[in-house]
Each structure stands twice: as C-alpha cells, then as structure tokens.
C-alpha cells in the first residue's frame, strides 16, 4: 500500500471482505483505496476498502463463477490497437469499447506501429480515427518503436490512473517508462509460482502525478453481463439515435420504424459499428455473454 505521504507499506488483509454481489478471488485490487492499521513491525493490516468508482473483472475460468478484479478506480483506459501486423478487428475494438462503457471507464484509442504502414494503411487509419473521434473516443497515432506520438501519450497520462490494454502494449509501456519491462517480468514470474491465477496487475507512477496499470497477459476486458436491450446503450451513437426508434425496446434488427437502421443506410452510423453491435447481440442469443459474476 502506498500511503498519502508516499511511503510503501507491506500489508495483509484483515478479516473477510465480501463484495456486494461478486464472488471474487481477490478482495483487494490494484487501484483500490484502503484504510490500514499499522503494527509494531512496521507492516500493516488493510482494515477497510473504499467504495470503488469503477472496476474491471475477469472470470477466473470458464467453469467457475468466481471473478478476479483486475483493477479498480480507473480514470481511463488506453486501448492499443494496430491496423496491421496484426490487424486489430473493429469487432474487437467495438466490443472492448462497449464493455468499457458498461464498466464506466473512458477509453482512448492508441493506434500503434505507424512506422510500419504504407499509404493505403495510413488512409484506413485516418478513416478509423475519424470514425472513433466523432463518436467521442480520443485517438492517438504512435510508434512505440521509433517514439512518434509517445510525448502526446505521456501528456494524456498526467494526473490520471490509466489502464493499458491491447496488443503491443508492452513495447509502448516500455517506451513510456524505460526499464519497466524487466521489472514486470520478474514480479509476474514470482507471483505465478504455484498459483492458479496467472494475472497480476501492477501500478507504476509516471511523470506528472499519473499512474499506469499493466495487466500482463490480458489483452481485453472480461465479459460484462449485458441484457440484450442493454447492448445498444453501450454504443453511444446507436444509443443516441435509438431515441427516434418507433419501439422503446427496439433491437435495431428488423423492427419497423427503426431509426438506427435508417441511420446506417444513410451512412450516419458506420456499417462496421453496426456489424459489431449485431455481433454482440448474436453472442447474447447464443449465450456467450454469460454472467461475469
Ligand atoms: P504485447 O505482448 O501484446 O504487449 O506486444 P509487444 O509489445 O511484445 O509487441 C508485439 C510485437 O510488435 C513485437 O514484436 C514488437 O517489437 C512489435 N512492435 C511493438 N510496437 C511496435 C511499433 O511501434 N512498430 C513496429 N514496427 N513494431 C512494434
Ligand atoms: Zn431501432
């Protein structure tokens, strides 16, 4: 635990923490704000966990109903994606964004590997940036390899707790905080020894009073339990347009008087976003979106 005056204190958890409605394998997570009771040895007990403004969880395994809290009290998440080498699909991006909306974590999109793209790829990149910026997700173009755009990322990290997700994030984190990579590796291999969970998140201070959280081995969020009617709420432009649908519980598939389908036809809502939305609905029907806790 890092105290308000900047000390780091080794802590144990006192008693049983039960979270409302969640069966979690870890009662306390990176980003939690806690109260501690110091003992004579200079270590301490965590006696209280403050209510979280948000948190992201991951089911421990497919079979168990237990969840693992990856991080709490996030100010934002940076999702690192690529147009190529390998391509991050818009379906993956949109699912991530929808989950983040559900978790109430603002997302910024970081398009990495700009050093590697040709003209066509750069054009497609700009089209995607245009799309996501218009919806309300700030976008960055970077190359973790040659440092392009990394200064802008650092600026966006100031004063905030930021979770990094996505492909190629290790190289990017390393270019923000040189030397962190080895440290991350050591810690996770130590913690994995004899443990069932392979996830271990850690928070690192960055310049300008910010922190980044790295969750090694995790490229996305866990599943979020959404009702079918709810999925559209987590696509901001679909949600906004759905106010004009004829039926209040419109799923925007085949209902008459659907304003969302009309907006897609008129190119006011992007085809790829609508496809991602339908894709999530289909999963829901197939039961893929089971309760995450
Ligand atoms: P992670 O395991 O998903 O965190 O990804 P890594 O950071 O290990 O990166 C995956 C691969 O992409 C590695 O081979 C990196 O060298 C490469 N890579 C990462 N960032 C860049 C970049 O900005 N440009 C290029 N050309 N390659 C990159
Ligand atoms: Zn509709």
């Amino acid at each position: 635990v890092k105290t308000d005056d900047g000390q780091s204190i080794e802590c144990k958890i006192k008693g049983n923490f039960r979270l409302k409605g969640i069966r979690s394998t870890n009662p306390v997570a990176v980003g939690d704000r806690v109260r501690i009771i110091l003992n004579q040895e200079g270590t301490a007990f965590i006696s209280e966990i403050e209510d979280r403004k948000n948190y992201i969880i991951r089911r421990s395994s497919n079979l168990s109903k237990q969840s693992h809290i990856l991080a709490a009290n996030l100010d934002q998440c940076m999702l690192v994606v690529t147009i190529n080498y390998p391509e991050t699909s818009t379906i993956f991006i949109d699912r991530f964004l929808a989950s983040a909306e559900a978790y109430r974590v603002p997302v910024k999109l970081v398009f990495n590997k700009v050093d590697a793209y040709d003209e066509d790829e750069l054009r497609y990149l700009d089209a995607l940036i245009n799309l996501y910026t218009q919806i309300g997700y700030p976008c960055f173009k970077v190359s973790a390899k040659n440092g392009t755009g990394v200064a802008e990322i650092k600026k966006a990290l100031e004063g905030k707790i930021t979770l990094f997700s996505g492909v190629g994030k290790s190289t990017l984190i390393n270019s923000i905080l040189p030397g962190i990579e080895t440290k991350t590796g050591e810690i996770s291999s130590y913690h994995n020894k004899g443990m069932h969970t392979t996830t271990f998140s850690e928070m690192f201070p960055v310049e300008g009073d910010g922190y980044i959280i790295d969750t090694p081995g995790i490229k996305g969020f866990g599943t979020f339990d959404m009702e079918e009617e709810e999925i559209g709420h987590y696509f901001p432009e679909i949600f906004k347009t759905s106010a004009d649908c004829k039926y209040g519980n419109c799923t925007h598939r085949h209902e008459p008087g659907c304003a969302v389908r009309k907006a897609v036809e008129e190119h006011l809502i992007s085809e790829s976003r609508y496809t991602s939305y339908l894709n999530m609905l289909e999963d829901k029907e197939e039961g893929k979106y089971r309760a995450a806790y």
Side-chain angles (χ1 to χ4, degrees):
V1 170
K2 189 177 161 209
T3 61
D4 289 337
D5 59 11
Q7 290 183 68
S8 284
I9 298 180
E10 203 178 307
C11 293
K12 282 185 175 159
I13 293 166
K14 199 177 175 65
N16 261 339
F17 285 102
R18 288 222 154 261
L19 289 162
K20 280 163 260 155
I22 311 171
R23 273 192 274 170
S24 154
T25 52
N26 59 329
V28 61
V30 164
D32 268 329
R33 298 195 48 91
V34 299
R35 204 167 280 282
I36 60 173
I37 300 167
L38 280 167
N39 57 36
Q40 277 122 343
E41 294 95 72
T43 59
F45 283 115
I46 293 173
S47 60
E48 216 175 290
I49 303 173
E50 269 184 28
D51 286 343
R52 300 174 169 119
K53 78 169 177 189
N54 60 30
Y55 57 86
I56 56 167
I57 54 178
R58 178 189 216 219
R59 243 176 327 155
S60 294
S61 78
N62 282 335
L63 293 174
S64 88
K65 288 212 173 73
Q66 290 249 328
S67 293
H68 186 81
I69 302 169
L70 293 173
N73 300 316
L74 301 168
D75 293 312
Q76 61 183 1
C77 178
M78 294 225 175
L79 178 62
V80 184
V81 299
T82 41
I83 298 301
N84 204 348
Y85 321 109
E87 180 182 1
T88 313
S89 71
T90 50
I91 287 186
F92 177 86
I93 295 174
D94 295 334
R95 282 170 169 269
F96 187 95
L97 293 174
S99 302
E101 292 285 346
Y103 282 123
R104 283 172 286 127
V105 180
V107 180
K108 291 181 174 153
L109 288 172
V110 179
F111 292 87
N112 190 25
K113 305 196 186 180
V114 292
D115 60 281
Y117 302 143
D118 65 20
E119 243 174 71
D120 283 348
E121 286 162 343
L122 288 173
R123 244 194 306 276
Y124 178 57
L125 170 66
D126 284 335
L128 280 190
I129 287 180
N130 192 27
L131 166 65
Y132 288 109
T133 307
Q134 269 185 28
I135 299 167
Y137 300 107
C139 295
F140 296 87
K141 283 193 232 187
V142 306
S143 164
K145 195 175 173 185
N146 69 19
T148 305
V150 173
E152 283 80 2
I153 300 288
K154 283 186 178 169
K155 193 98 197 112
L157 298 176
E158 285 178 6
K160 293 195 156 78
I161 297 177
T162 304
L163 177 93
F164 272 84
S165 246
V167 177
K169 70 185 162 106
S170 313
T171 312
L172 183 62
I173 290 174
N174 210 43
S175 72
I176 294 163
L177 287 172
I180 217 74
E181 200 172 46
T182 42
K183 204 180 161 209
T184 310
E186 277 163 30
I187 290 167
S188 28
S189 64
Y190 164 75
H191 273 267
N192 288 344
K193 222 171 272 174
M195 284 177 71
H196 293 291
T197 144
T198 52
T199 49
F200 177 71
S201 323
E202 200 183 353
M203 195 180 231
F204 305 99
V206 291
E207 263 171 69
D209 197 29
Y211 292 88
I212 60 177
I213 296 177
D214 184 26
T215 50
I218 306 230
K219 308 242 190 265
F221 282 157
T223 48
F224 192 94
D225 189 28
M226 299 178 193
E227 294 299 327
E228 191 173 271
E229 315 82 68
E230 229 183 333
I231 294 173
H233 299 190
Y234 302 127
F235 286 72
E237 76 281 38
I238 290 180
F239 182 61
K240 213 169 143 225
T241 307
S242 69
D244 297 326
C245 292
K246 184 172 171 192
Y247 301 107
N249 62 352
C250 187
T251 64
H252 322 306
R253 272 178 298 197
H254 25 58
E255 294 89 343
C258 174
V260 170
R261 274 209 346 269
K262 185 161 169 276
V264 174
E265 277 158 27
E266 292 170 357
H267 309 291
L268 298 169
I269 286 177
S270 121
E271 192 94 38
S272 76
R273 291 277 293 169
Y274 183 61
T275 302
S276 298
Y277 165 76
L278 292 180
N279 189 281
M280 285 183 77
L281 268 190
E282 269 166 37
D283 275 5
K284 184 76 203 173
E285 281 165 0
E286 286 165 17
K288 274 194 205 156
Y289 269 78
R290 253 170 265 120
Y293 43 81

